[in-house]
């Protein structure tokens, strides 16, 4: 029996990186699941709080994210779709795991190191402005491990940027099992898509992200055909003649080929072969059409579902009930093992 779990932060409209790195795989796993597979997909509101959020904006983004998950094809009949913050078992387990996780392991997390770098004094690199760092940013990966372990998940479909967090989740599972001499937690395995990392359209040395200041660097699932065209046309490529798939020497071009291959479900080298003697303009035109073909359905479905407030509330309530019931089974064992039963 597989228990498949993944999560997404409600910090804005999902972009093509979220979609091709993770969300499209959630739908595929749901489609191909066997009757005893358990699938859980969670909107992680507590993780979003590690950065400052406008409460009104967050509340809307949180419900919108539920609408997006339904719009891309997740079904509450087949998967448990829920808000993390509706299940206090996550934070209860997170606290227990906090007390088992070595400080040094957290200090090595690249996400934490990036936050630390952001808060360094511009004039004196050795000085960190600690008022910019909250404790939640530091313990963030432990809450993520709790999200996974509280359902005893075996498989976690995520993008490339979550690899280190998944390794930590396995480490923490092992520490718990060893400390309390049991096998409660399976070691969760990461599931990637062929395009596990979509790059920024403006800076192909970094990933496509929700927080990059340049809005032209990402394509959102709500973008209109005109916006998609403008963003793809403005994507950074190179001045080499012809089209080849070379992620090292031609990252921008390779990224467009990867997006196109993800849209059409083809091998990226086959797509590159088709465009071999063509120009960047031809490739971009192909990408625009393919992306619009993928985004249109979810975009229209999102606009329809987001208005069905009663239905969304019902899905959230039912999802939370199922999630709590499953997590409670694990927590009964956890409490007993640690001596808090
Ligand atoms: P988040 O909300 O940043 O991203 C959601 C998913 O999208 C993937 N992703 C990408 N994949 C490929 N290319 C990109 N440019 C790209 N950008 C984002 C992410 O890898 C992720 O799968 N910490 C997690 C949320 C989380 C979680 C969990 C995930 C909390 N608890 C438990 C799995 C299991 C995050 O911030 O994802």
């Amino acid at each position: 029996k597989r228990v498949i779990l993944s999560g997404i932060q409600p910090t804005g409209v999902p972009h093509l990186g979220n979609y091709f790195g993770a969300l499209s795989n959630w739908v595929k796993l749901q489609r191909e699941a066997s009757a005893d597979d358990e699938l859980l997909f969670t909107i992680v509101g507590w993780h979003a709080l590690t950065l400052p959020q406008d409460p009104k904006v967050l509340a809307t983004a949180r419900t919108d994210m539920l609408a997006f998950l339904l719009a891309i094809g997740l079904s509450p009949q087949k998967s448990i779709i829920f808000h993390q913050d509706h299940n206090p078992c996550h934070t209860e387990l997170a606290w227990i795991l906090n007390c088992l996780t070595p400080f040094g392991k957290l200090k090595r997390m690249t996400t934490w190191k990036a936050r630390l770098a952001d808060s360094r004094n511009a004039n004196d690199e050795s000085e960190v402005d600690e008022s910019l760092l909250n404790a939640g940013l530091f313990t963030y990966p432990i809450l993520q491990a709790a999200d996974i372990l509280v359902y005893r998940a075996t498989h976690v479909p995520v993008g490339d940027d979550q690899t280190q967090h998944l390794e930590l989740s396995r480490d923490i599972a092992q520490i718990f099992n060893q400390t309390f001499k049991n096998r409660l937690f399976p070691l969760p395995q990461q599931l990637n898509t062929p395009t596990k990392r979509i790059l920024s359209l403006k800076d192909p040395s970094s990933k496509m992200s929700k927080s990059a200041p340049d809005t032209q660097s990402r394509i959102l699932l709500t973008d209109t055909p005109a916006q998609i065209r403008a963003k793809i046309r403005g994507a950074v490529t190179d001045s080499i003649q012809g089209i080849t798939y070379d992620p090292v020497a031609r990252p921008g071009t390779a990224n467009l080929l990867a997006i196109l291959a993800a849209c059409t479900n083809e091998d990226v080298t086959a797509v590159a072969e088709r465009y071999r003697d063509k120009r960047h303009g031809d490739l971009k035109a192909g990408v625009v059409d393919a992306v619009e073909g993928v985004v249109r359905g979810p975009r229209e479905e999102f606009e329809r579902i987001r208005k069905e407030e009663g239905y969304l509330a019902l899905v959230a309530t039912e999802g939370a009930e199922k999630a709590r019931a499953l997590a409670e089974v694990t927590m009964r064992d956890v409490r007993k093992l640690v001596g808090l039963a």
Side-chain angles (χ1 to χ4, degrees), residues 5-9 15 17-18 21-22 44 47 140 144 147-148 156-162 165 195-199 207-210:
L5 175 134
S6 197
I8 185 164
Q9 297 195 53
H15 52 66
N18 300 129
V44 294
H47 278 110
Y140 178 110
Q144 181 163 352
D147 296 338
I148 298 167
V156 184
V158 286
D160 191 37
D161 58 324
Q162 297 299 314
H165 288 161
T195 39
K196 56 189 177 188
R197 186 177 167 86
I198 299 286
L199 306 177
K207 65 174 181 180
M208 185 177 286
S209 94
K210 279 190 206 133

Side-chain angles (χ1 to χ4, degrees), residues 115-116 118-121 126-133:
R115 295 290 172 213
L116 209 57
D118 289 345
S119 62
R120 285 204 201 287
N121 187 311
S126 69
E127 220 166 279
V128 172
D129 183 349
E130 291 186 348
S131 68
L132 294 175
L133 296 164

Side-chain angles (χ1 to χ4, degrees), residues 177-197:
N177 289 351
Q178 273 161 13
T179 305
F180 301 105
K181 300 190 178 49
N182 72 99
R183 289 163 162 230
L184 184 64
F185 296 129
L187 305 188
Q189 190 186 319
Q190 179 168 352
L191 298 177
N192 283 131
T193 58
T195 39
K196 56 189 177 188
R197 186 177 167 86

Side-chain angles (χ1 to χ4, degrees), residues 231-264:
K231 288 178 184 180
I232 298 289
R233 285 220 179 127
V236 170
T237 52
D238 52 57
S239 48
I240 302 169
Q241 288 260 318
I243 301 295
T244 52
Y245 180 68
D246 184 344
V248 177
R250 313 183 68 182
T253 303
N255 193 40
L256 290 179
L257 287 167
I259 291 173
L260 184 46
C263 289
T264 55

